[in-house]
Amino acid sequence: MTTGGSIEVGQIEALEREATDRLAQIADEAALEGWFREFLGRKDGKLSGLLRGMGALSPEERPRFGAAVNATKDRVTAAYEARKATVGGAALTARLAADAVDITQPGRPVPMGTLHPTTLVTRELSAIFALLGFQTIEGPEVEETRYNFDLLNIPTNHPARDKWDTFYVGSRGTDDTVNEIVLRTHTSPMQARTMQRQDPPVRVIVPGRCYRYEATDASHEAIFFQLEGLAVDKKITMSDLKGTLTEMTRQLFGSSTKVRFRCDFFPFVEPGVDFSATCAVCGGKGCRVCKGTGWLELGGAGMVHPNVLRNVGYDPAIYSGFAFGLGIERIVMIKYGIDDIRNFYANDLRFLEEFAGTRI
Ligand code: YSA
């Protein structure tokens, strides 16, 4: 490269060397920016400064000097662009390394909710009874004493009202003693409601929550679930009741399970029975869960009392029926070997997690 004078040539060459030497030392983007301002900055950059000093040259020297500065500027700019790509690339590589996601790591577990064991068994019972021709319906938990007691052949002052004492929450109508509002003590009121609503044939099950004035212990809660069953038609007999409950029990606990019916009293059935199944834990040999008897009580049942049929407008000379009421938690306890009903509503996640992934 030649210019009009040796001083100017030396100046340009020295500046180019300084610029390229310094550029080679640069390791980060901030230093690169400072370097750019110092050498290539449009206002204060050293290369532009050479052009500004051109006024001191003779008119003949100026064009060659300008061309030499501009050629130097082009080379230095090219060197800058190349360096910028390396420095920027290094920064990008560093950033990517810091933000790296290891896609081979196992995912974080997402906590999943699970169905409560009472819901699981209710659904299972509903599926079993559907195969036997029963429809699943629901009814009110806040109930009139007319349905909870009177229509079920339990008049005011009947001692059975003591056994099924509950929370009285108000009254309806003018005579409080005749029709009060209670939290239902069993699902049996839905027998009367269903029969009032439709003509026979009737085949329903009614799962739902019940409430009782109850001292809680390992097998009693003040709030628990029952499953009511009702079948009414012409010529329904006790054999139908026994066959239905035997089939249900075998579906639930296995085909070798035996069922036992013993006389019992409920004002709304005649005859009445309690029914039990061979203990699912010991197979009937006797253990802690069945208190050594080999049997576990599942609920009450019987043939619908003629008074109940009459109360809802059915003619007991034409129609007959059977009904039953099961404690759902008791069935869950038998099925899964749970020895204290108070676990169900203690809100202890460890208990509920035992049922995670259980499917019916
Ligand atoms: C009887 C005859 C029928 O034709 C229809 C239904 C019934 C059952 C009747 N309504 C009834 O409630 N009988 S019961 O008081 O003996 O309860 C039935 C079942 O509910 C019991 O066998 C038990 O499994 C469950 N149960 C009762 N009280 C309970 C309870 N479960 C948990 N905690 C309580 N406090």
Side-chain angles (χ1 to χ4, degrees):
M1 173 94 25
T2 54
T3 70
S6 60
I7 297 174
E8 289 76 15
V9 170
Q11 248 184 315
I12 298 170
E13 282 174 357
L15 195 54
E16 182 172 358
R17 237 185 343 268
E18 184 193 352
T20 49
D21 287 353
R22 292 259 308 277
L23 190 61
Q25 312 295 318
I26 280 171
D28 61 57
E29 279 175 327
L32 189 65
E33 243 176 68
W35 176 94
F36 183 87
R37 272 196 306 275
E38 184 178 341
F39 292 98
L40 291 172
R42 213 188 282 170
K43 269 195 194 161
D44 309 322
K46 287 180 176 166
L47 279 159
S48 308
L50 287 179
L51 291 175
R52 275 195 301 276
M54 251 176 18
L57 298 176
S58 67
E60 303 81 58
E61 287 173 325
R62 277 181 210 158
R64 276 185 295 164
F65 183 83
V69 172
N70 282 332
T72 305
K73 211 171 172 185
D74 287 348
R75 283 194 301 279
V76 172
T77 303
Y80 163 77
E81 291 298 343
R83 188 79 189 120
K84 189 173 150 192
T86 342
V87 171
L92 186 62
T93 308
R95 227 180 7 250
L96 285 178
D99 294 349
V101 176
D102 180 359
I103 56 164
T104 63
Q105 264 192 350
R108 291 198 195 106
V110 179
M112 291 267 285
T114 179
L115 290 178
H116 193 281
T118 306
T119 307
L120 285 169
V121 168
T122 303
R123 291 188 179 185
E124 187 172 0
L125 284 165
S126 185
I128 292 170
F129 278 109
L131 293 174
L132 295 171
F134 286 76
Q135 187 190 357
T136 300
I137 58 168
E138 288 184 318
E141 292 174 23
V142 181
E143 186 54 283
E144 301 174 32
T145 47
R146 196 153 63 96
Y147 288 103
N148 200 73
F149 296 126
D150 297 87
L151 291 171
L152 295 175
N153 208 26
I154 312 172
T156 313
N157 300 326
H158 192 290
R161 291 208 182 195
D162 267 358
K163 179 181 164 195
W164 288 315
D165 197 9
T166 179
F167 304 94
Y168 284 72
V169 293
S171 61
R172 177 172 288 180
T174 49
D175 187 347
D176 287 358
T177 58
V178 170
N179 198 19
E180 291 178 277
I181 308 297
V182 295
L183 300 186
R184 70 177 174 194
T185 55
H186 48 180
T187 40
S188 300
M190 277 305 286
Q191 287 190 31
R193 284 186 179 274
T194 307
M195 288 188 281
Q196 274 184 344
R197 258 201 312 250
Q198 70 173 87
D199 290 331
V202 174
R203 266 183 194 75
V204 291
I205 57 159
V206 191
R209 211 178 259 110
C210 303
Y211 304 81
R212 288 190 191 176
Y213 179 62
E214 192 91 73
T216 57
D217 60 27
S219 53
H220 292 86
E221 266 289 3
I223 300 173
F224 59 97
F225 280 79
Q226 281 190 347
L227 183 127
E228 193 80 8
L230 174 70
V232 185
D233 206 344
K234 290 175 182 161
K235 298 195 175 115
I236 295 258
T237 68
M238 192 79 181
S239 309
D240 298 311
L241 168 65
K242 289 174 79 172
T244 303
L245 291 179
T246 303
E247 184 55 25
M248 175 213 79
T249 311
R250 290 187 177 159
Q251 293 274 344
L252 260 183
F253 300 122
S255 55
S256 60
T257 312
K258 291 196 183 69
V259 181
R260 179 181 76 179
F261 295 89
R262 294 189 303 180
C263 286
D264 201 353
F265 172 74
F266 300 96
F268 34 94
V269 285
E270 181 55 40
V273 291
D274 77 42
F275 78 101
S276 312
T278 40
C279 176
V281 177
C282 65
K285 292 190 193 77
C287 68
R288 194 171 60 89
V289 175
C290 62
K291 299 195 176 80
T293 64
W295 294 97
L296 286 165
E297 187 188 313
L298 298 184
M303 298 304 291
V304 181
H305 198 291
N307 285 350
V308 175
L309 294 174
R310 255 180 236 112
N311 286 343
V312 296
Y314 284 8
D315 184 348
I318 303 173
Y319 295 110
S320 57
F322 67 77
F324 55 87
L326 319 169
I328 298 181
E329 286 88 349
R330 299 272 177 90
I331 292 177
V332 181
M333 290 169 78
I334 294 166
K335 201 170 160 68
Y336 295 108
I338 299 163
D339 62 4
D340 197 321
I341 196 173
R342 288 167 291 197
N343 287 318
F344 282 72
Y345 308 111
N347 281 334
D348 186 336
L349 282 181
R350 289 170 304 177
F351 173 74
L352 298 175
E353 279 161 3
E354 291 287 315
F355 300 90
T358 308
R359 301 267 175 277
I360 62 159

